Structures are given as structure tokens and as C-alpha cells.
Amino acid sequence: TTVAHYNNELVTTQDNAIKNAETDQSFQSIADVYHTIFTEKLGFDEYKYNNEMKFIGYAPVKDTSWYIIVSVPRSEVLSGLKIIQLVITICAVILLAVFAIVGNLLAGLISNPIKSITNSLNQIASGDLSGNIDAKLLENREETGTWAKALNSM
């Protein structure tokens, strides 16, 4: 029997969802939850009431035969998740774009000197020994700079 509810009519009429379910199937979901409450004593569940899914939490009141039962519409609990999901999706797309740009720049930093040396080697292979090596490549202190210096000294 309902003894406290935001809808005072349920209190004054001593509404009982379990008895209501005997004559109205729309109360069956909440009646099943009440049966669970009486057997499990402590926990949470979900049910459908007035075509709306709701979460319910329940616990016995110490040293009494009463239970405290709190229910809230599922849509209210999960409403913030849509915003979080949107923010995460936007952040993921932005990060993907940033990583693609950075990856492309890094790939260019690695491959452009190798392409330049390859072009010079192809020029030498065709018999043209007059090719010039890019000055920036000759100043490079990494492997490609070493290759360029060796190629330039030929």
C-alpha cells in the first residue's frame, strides 16, 4: 500500500500496485518489482509504468517493516548520456583529424629526403653526373643527411 507519493491521490486511496495488477495488466511490471523487493529486500530494478520506463531503488527501513522506495524516469537518468556521447564523438573526430595531419607531416619529414636522394640516384644511374643535392639535405644530421653528403662527394 502506498503511504507516501508525490501524487496525494495514491496515498489517500491507499493505492496498491500488486492488487491493481490483478485487474489491470498495466500494473504487472511494477507489481513484479514489488514482489522482488519483498524477497530481495535491497537493490534496484526497472519497470514500466504509464508507458514510461523507470528505475527503482529500494531498501528496508531499519527496525520497521517499511521500505524506502525511490523511482525516477529512465529518460531523466540517461538524458546526460546523449550529451556526453556527442562530446566524445566530436572529440574523437577532432583527434582523428589532428592525428591524420600530424601523421601526414611526419611521413613527409621522413619520405621527402629519401625521395630527393632517390631522384639524385636515378639521375646518376641515367648517366647525368651534374645533379645538385638540396643544401637543406646536406645540412641534415640524420641518416638522410649522411647519404646526401656521400652522394654529393661522388
Side-chain angles (χ1 to χ4, degrees):
T1 302
T2 304
V3 294
H5 197 278
Y6 68 90
N7 181 349
N8 287 334
E9 185 179 330
L10 295 177
V11 177
T12 57
T13 61
Q14 295 186 339
D15 184 66
N16 185 318
I18 295 173
K19 287 183 181 177
N20 293 343
E22 293 171 2
T23 58
D24 185 350
Q25 282 299 105
S26 66
F27 288 94
Q28 190 60 50
S29 180
I30 186 65
D32 291 343
V33 171
Y34 284 147
H35 285 296
T36 302
I37 291 170
F38 299 139
T39 58
E40 291 184 10
K41 308 290 185 205
L42 177 69
F44 65 93
D45 208 336
E46 62 182 314
Y47 66 97
K48 190 173 191 173
Y49 182 71
N50 289 337
N51 291 323
E52 181 178 35
M53 290 303 296
K54 294 188 175 203
F55 288 128
I56 187 169
Y58 49 89
V61 177
K62 191 174 183 178
D63 298 327
T64 70
S65 61
W66 289 40
Y67 288 87
I68 185 153
I69 301 171
V70 179
S71 76
V72 64
R74 183 178 182 191
S75 59
E76 188 176 321
V77 173
L78 301 179
S79 65
L81 291 181
K82 297 259 186 218
I83 294 168
I84 292 170
Q85 183 180 21
L86 178 64
V87 168
I88 289 172
T89 301
I90 290 170
C91 289
V93 168
I94 290 170
L95 284 174
L96 183 62
V98 167
F99 289 148
I101 291 168
V102 169
N104 195 25
L105 290 174
L106 287 175
L109 288 174
I110 294 170
S111 66
N112 288 339
I114 294 172
K115 287 178 186 176
S116 179
I117 291 172
T118 302
N119 289 339
S120 296
L121 286 172
N122 285 335
Q123 190 177 5
I124 292 170
S126 68
D128 181 6
L129 301 176
S130 65
N132 292 329
I133 305 292
D134 184 10
K136 286 184 182 179
L137 195 54
L138 291 171
E139 293 172 6
N140 191 337
R141 294 183 185 184
E142 296 173 2
E143 290 82 2
T144 53
T146 305
W147 298 343
K149 290 172 191 163
L151 186 60
N152 196 40
S153 67
M154 287 178 65

